[in-house]
Amino acid sequence: MIIKNVKIYTEDKIFTEGEAAVADGRFTSPAAAGGEVIDGKGCYMIPGLVDIHFHGCVGDDFCDAKEEAIANMAKHEASVGVTSICPATMTLGEEELHSIMKTAGAYRGTEGAKLVGINMEGPFLSEKKKGAQSAKYIRKCDTELFRALQKESGNLIKLVDIAPENDGAMEFIREVKDEVVISIAHTTADYDIAAKALSEGASHVTHLYNAMPPLNHRDPGVIGAARDDEKCHVELICDGVHIHPSVVRATFAMFGADRIILISDSMRATGLTDGQYTLGGQDVFVKGPRATLADGTIAGSATDLMGCLRVAVQKMGIPLEDAVACATANPAKEIGIYDRCGSITNGKDADFVLLDSDLNVKSVYVCGKKIV
């Protein structure tokens, strides 16, 4: 397959007019490819998006612990241009977590987006900043539990979220920092505690600004500590609900696009109509892009990652080139899969999306196979 007359997003984070080629499910040089020729005139060609933090969509949730739920989610995500998924757990009971990990470890689906990891969001969080997580199952960091879950998942856990102020958190970081990306999340940590966690080996912050103290000029908290540690990467939910556009622009100015990862944090209502749904066993009420618990607490999003990318570019003023990097290469690098996806590079899986000038999805391919 050859895609010609298209604006290709390169590893240099620019668009260049040209052609790309696919053979045997991987990107290759045009000279080595043949077969179908696709005219991409007027389109952008970008890598398939990589969502490393979302919970569900089209009525299904990763925590349902059903292979058919993962399969349905994978098909929907691919249909909107997300070709690699790393879904997130919630703070649940130990038995439920074991079931979720076993299910994911056994999953061998080949249709739609690829299951490339798991984001373990909970149960090692702060009750005071639990957000939509269940306080009932919050517990101290537990190395043995993490490793047991990791084994059952087939080593799919790529990120584990913790509140570093909790007892045993620093010891946990030191123990597992070489086994998984450790993310600061759902936390009351001040600057000093967060900075210490980062110095011990944490390197990621879950949905920056949400479920943590705000940035204050005398008490910069997690946000300030993350800003000061250049190895730390941060997640942003650009659905137009979680973070004001001005703050998104300020965050890009503070951190730079290389350190920002766009996520959706989407829940099972994504792709469906307004109504009542669930997240982590709690009722969630969805109206438009806003999903909340009964008390008004934001409970994930109802926007997929491609929708978040469009909002970031069209409503928040983030350059398209930066937004694409933050939804493709950056998350792929963060969870260690950049050798096979995240860029349009010869030898990598041919996961790509063709977008029109308004950033609407025209076509999606996973390993060279057309999905849309």
Side-chain angles (χ1 to χ4, degrees):
M1 175 197 310
I2 296 177
I3 306 94
K4 65 177 186 178
N5 301 324
V6 69
K7 298 174 184 175
I8 303 171
Y9 187 75
T10 72
E11 286 189 290
D12 295 325
K13 300 178 183 177
I14 60 173
F15 284 98
T16 182
E17 193 84 26
E19 62 181 21
V22 174
D24 299 322
R26 298 180 182 275
F27 292 117
T28 187
S29 64
E36 181 183 9
V37 176
I38 297 171
D39 189 351
K41 185 174 178 61
C43 288
Y44 297 105
M45 180 179 178
I46 66 171
L49 305 193
V50 181
D51 197 345
I52 65 171
H53 187 160
F54 84 109
H55 297 276
C57 55
V58 290
D60 290 300
D61 190 293
F62 184 59
C63 290
D64 292 342
K66 297 178 180 178
E67 290 190 47
E68 56 267 35
I70 300 175
N72 290 338
M73 289 160 53
K75 290 176 184 177
H76 176 76
E77 291 295 309
S79 76
V80 296
V82 181
T83 57
S84 295
I85 55 173
C86 178
T89 60
M90 292 288 288
T91 297
L92 297 167
E94 192 169 330
E95 184 176 337
E96 290 176 277
L97 291 174
H98 282 291
S99 179
I100 293 164
M101 299 306 174
K102 286 179 181 177
T103 301
Y107 178 72
R108 297 292 183 270
T110 59
E111 298 294 322
K114 296 173 290 187
L115 178 65
V116 296
I118 296 169
N119 184 332
M120 187 174 160
E121 188 180 13
F124 311 138
L125 309 176
S126 164
E127 185 171 345
K128 291 181 180 178
K129 287 291 184 180
K130 62 183 178 60
Q133 303 283 340
S134 173
K136 179 179 179 181
Y137 298 111
I138 288 174
R139 58 188 291 173
K140 291 170 56 176
C141 290
D142 185 330
T143 302
E144 289 187 8
L145 174 60
F146 163 72
R147 286 182 172 151
L149 294 172
Q150 180 68 296
K151 183 178 180 180
E152 286 177 336
S153 75
N155 294 315
L156 273 175
I157 302 174
K158 304 299 184 184
L159 304 106
V160 60
D161 299 3
I162 70 168
E165 71 274 19
N166 288 354
D167 290 344
M170 297 300 172
E171 291 82 0
F172 181 86
I173 294 172
R174 289 192 289 269
E175 182 72 17
V176 305
K177 65 182 180 181
D178 296 324
E179 303 172 27
V180 68
V181 175
I182 300 172
S183 184
I184 298 174
H186 291 271
T187 176
T188 62
D190 61 15
Y191 178 93
D192 291 337
I193 292 174
K196 180 171 175 55
L198 293 168
S199 71
E200 293 286 1
S203 59
H204 191 94
V205 176
T206 297
H207 44 51
L208 192 71
Y209 301 108
N210 293 281
M212 66 187 62
L215 177 67
N216 181 280
H217 62 293
R218 292 194 183 93
D219 185 9
V222 173
I223 300 161
R227 160 64 186 85
D228 286 349
D229 191 316
E230 293 188 359
K231 74 178 185 300
C232 182
H233 296 82
V234 299
E235 300 174 356
L236 284 185
I237 309 171
C238 294
D239 60 349
V241 174
H242 282 78
I243 312 171
H244 192 281
S246 177
V247 176
V248 171
R249 292 188 290 271
T251 305
F252 272 82
M254 285 194 298
F255 285 83
D258 288 345
R259 295 174 57 196
I260 292 173
I261 295 170
L262 297 186
I263 64 164
S264 69
D265 200 19
S266 64
M267 46 82 71
R268 69 171 82 239
T270 303
L272 300 177
T273 59
D274 292 355
Q276 184 174 339
Y277 299 89
T278 61
L279 178 65
Q282 300 184 85
D283 290 334
V284 176
F285 303 87
V286 175
K287 185 174 182 180
R290 183 178 293 272
T292 61
L293 301 180
D295 64 3
T297 300
I298 293 177
S301 87
T303 306
D304 59 67
L305 184 57
M306 186 64 79
C308 290
L309 185 150
R310 276 193 291 269
V311 170
V313 174
Q314 297 173 343
K315 298 183 178 180
M316 295 178 169
I318 303 304
L320 176 60
E321 293 82 356
D322 288 344
V324 171
C326 294
T328 58
N330 293 3
K333 290 176 181 177
E334 189 73 342
I335 63 171
I337 61 170
Y338 189 61
D339 61 327
R340 50 195 170 102
C341 67
S343 69
I344 299 171
T345 304
N346 288 354
K348 290 189 178 183
D349 292 348
D351 303 338
F352 65 95
V353 184
L354 296 181
L355 301 173
D356 66 18
S357 59
D358 293 322
L359 308 186
N360 297 309
V361 172
K362 302 296 289 183
S363 300
V364 180
Y365 291 78
V366 178
C367 290
K369 179 182 177 181
K370 188 173 183 180
I371 303 297
V372 175

